[in-house]
Amino acid sequence: MNAPSHDTATTAFETLAVHAAEPRPAHGGSVVHPLYQGTVFESVPGESYDELKYIRLNTNPSQQHLHEKLAALEGAEAAVATASGMAAITTTLLATLAAGDHVIAAGSFYGGTHHFLTEQAPRLGWNVDFVGPDDHDAWAEAMRPRTKAFLVETISNPLARVADLAGIAAFSREHGITSIIDNTFATPVVFRPHTIGFDLVCHSATKALNGHSDLVAGVVTGTEEAIGRIRHVLNLYGGSLDPHAGFLLARGLKTLALRVRQQNTGSLALARFLEGHKGIAQVNHPGLESHPDHARATELFDGYGSVFSFRPTGGVEAAESLLKGLRLPYVAPSLGGVESLVTRPAVTSHAGMSAEEREAEGIHDDLIRFSTGIEAPDDLIADFAQALGA
Ligand SMILES: *Cc1c(COP(=O)(O)O)cnc(C)c1O
């Protein structure tokens, strides 16, 4: 492919999102990179297995176009797309760990990831230690001769905590272990983990990268060498992304910066409004001065993300009646789409945890999580004002 190379450090994200990895002259003259849905392509003499043009081997031209675009957006050498966010995380771990190896996991995790680490990792002979996200002593104590990886999420769900990410990247480098970060909640618009030294960045592209709540996909970015290893494992386990979903994802990516910046603006405006409302007891938004990780988020991020949480005064009953009173957001889990979504984690994303575990983490039964869409911030605020007034 004859794509012009863009300096991903100096070209604005908005420009990269539209132009990165788009060949010039355009492929067949088509301004939109064409969708190749074919499963197989004519062989070239001397091809190795991984070079065969076959859909599961991630060598279909539409898949490769998507990979180049994703790498540019995370500022990485290479990327590979997967059939889901979970496929991105599990394939990355499968390519990094062997039986008997050990992984350090910092902070709290997406439900699927937590479930995988506690239920499936032991079946694979992996040892997992969960540690505090800022507890350097605990990280050092957790280190074993066979520690191979350190896993963390950029912004935690649903309390929007931000771990000592720079510390984790540096610790991993110092100990020669692979640092892996799930950057789904931030997106590369808010934070690019490779710039502070993370080795591998995973995403659920189902969320903001696609942004339209209409496909499931995942992404891993890193060096050519690391992504080559992960792609090899992906090709064998078979969690490759269908090119049609990839085509839609590439379309979604072009507006990523516009969507995320609008979501960030709406999210912070709404959080400020709620913090000042007598019907709200607590707001967890890293853009608020009251958030414990506000300073860290301000230092590391460009914007504070679209997802935050809050507790109404009046407990679960007040939370449920607020959910009923809102007119714009859909009551649904997931996040990162153009439409605002609202959910009560205790009965959705975190229902798998015991009530005691949830309380210990601060995920109270009356906690509400809000994923801000691209609606006008004033309309979202007006909707909350009417719902809280009712
Ligand atoms: C949704 C999500 C995942 C899982 O992604 P799927 O595309 O549903 O497989 C992983 N991590 C985070 C932070 C998520 O929000």
Side-chain angles (χ1 to χ4, degrees):
M1 231 174 275
N2 188 22
S5 60
H6 300 273
D7 184 338
T8 58
T10 56
T11 307
F13 199 99
E14 283 79 353
T15 308
L16 280 180
V18 175
H19 289 291
E22 304 299 339
R24 294 291 182 89
H27 202 109
S30 174
V31 169
V32 173
H33 195 277
L35 166 59
Y36 284 88
Q37 190 60 48
T39 50
V40 70
F41 294 74
E42 291 178 311
S43 299
V44 177
E47 261 172 354
S48 73
Y49 173 73
D50 279 331
E51 288 165 346
L52 285 175
K53 284 211 179 298
Y54 178 62
I55 207 161
R56 178 174 42 76
L57 301 180
N58 288 292
T59 41
N60 166 298
S62 289
Q63 292 171 322
Q64 291 180 326
H65 164 250
L66 175 66
H67 295 163
E68 275 186 51
K69 200 163 189 87
L70 290 166
L73 297 188
E74 268 298 0
E77 279 178 21
V80 66
T82 58
S84 68
M86 284 311 299
I89 292 160
T90 59
T91 307
T92 298
L93 292 172
L94 284 163
T96 308
L97 304 167
D101 284 345
H102 173 242
V103 54
I104 302 176
S108 64
F109 287 89
Y110 175 73
T113 305
H114 188 264
H115 209 159
F116 180 80
L117 291 173
T118 51
E119 181 193 278
Q120 295 296 311
R123 297 186 61 225
L124 295 162
W126 304 346
N127 300 297
V128 185
D129 270 326
F130 290 93
V131 297
D134 297 339
D135 192 345
H136 291 235
D137 291 340
W139 308 347
E141 275 165 35
M143 280 299 299
R144 302 183 196 178
R146 291 201 52 182
T147 304
K148 292 288 164 61
F150 201 131
L151 183 65
V152 68
E153 294 185 356
T154 310
I155 302 175
S156 83
N157 175 26
L159 300 176
R161 297 298 307 262
V162 181
D164 180 6
L165 301 175
I168 289 170
F171 177 90
S172 301
R173 187 118 313 181
E174 189 187 318
H175 290 86
I177 63 175
T178 303
S179 50
I180 305 169
I181 187 165
D182 180 336
N183 200 34
T184 302
F185 271 53
T187 83
V189 178
V190 169
F191 181 56
R192 291 199 200 180
H194 291 304
T195 61
I196 66 160
F198 273 92
D199 296 312
L200 295 170
V201 178
C202 295
H203 282 277
S204 168
T206 313
K207 315 293 168 53
L209 291 190
N210 178 57
H212 294 74
S213 308
D214 54 8
L215 63 80
V216 57
V219 179
V220 192
T221 63
T223 62
E224 287 284 1
E225 187 274 331
I227 295 303
R229 273 189 294 110
I230 291 167
R231 195 172 45 233
H232 180 72
V233 171
L234 181 69
N235 292 350
L236 294 173
Y237 279 83
S240 305
L241 182 65
D242 181 77
H244 186 248
F247 176 81
L248 293 176
L249 173 55
R251 178 167 74 166
L253 287 173
K254 291 181 186 174
T255 55
L256 179 64
L258 299 183
R259 289 185 283 103
V260 170
R261 293 200 206 289
Q262 171 76 359
Q263 289 172 325
N264 289 348
T265 302
S267 162
L268 187 53
L270 189 54
R272 289 221 167 96
F273 166 79
L274 292 174
E275 194 172 49
H277 196 286
K278 64 180 185 331
I280 301 297
Q282 187 195 343
V283 183
N284 308 303
H285 191 297
L288 297 176
E289 290 72 14
S290 57
H291 191 278
D293 303 320
H294 175 67
R296 186 178 280 158
T298 303
E299 188 192 323
L300 290 173
F301 297 168
D302 179 4
Y304 297 98
S306 64
V307 184
F308 69 100
S309 60
F310 60 93
R311 301 175 72 187
T313 53
V316 176
E317 215 171 293
E320 281 300 322
S321 90
L322 177 58
L323 293 192
K324 281 198 195 79
L326 289 166
R327 292 170 188 157
L328 287 177
Y330 293 88
V331 179
S334 198
L335 58 118
V338 293
E339 59 288 304
S340 290
L341 301 178
V342 66
T343 182
R344 194 154 67 79
V347 292
T348 54
S349 55
H350 293 69
M353 287 166 79
S354 71
E356 294 74 36
E357 283 173 321
R358 279 199 304 269
E359 282 293 315
E361 283 209 22
I363 303 165
H364 304 286
D365 284 352
D366 58 4
L367 188 76
I368 293 175
R369 184 185 81 180
F370 194 76
S371 168
T372 317
I374 62 169
E375 300 94 340
D378 283 350
D379 286 337
L380 292 173
I381 289 171
D383 192 22
F384 270 85
Q386 68 78 21
L388 284 163

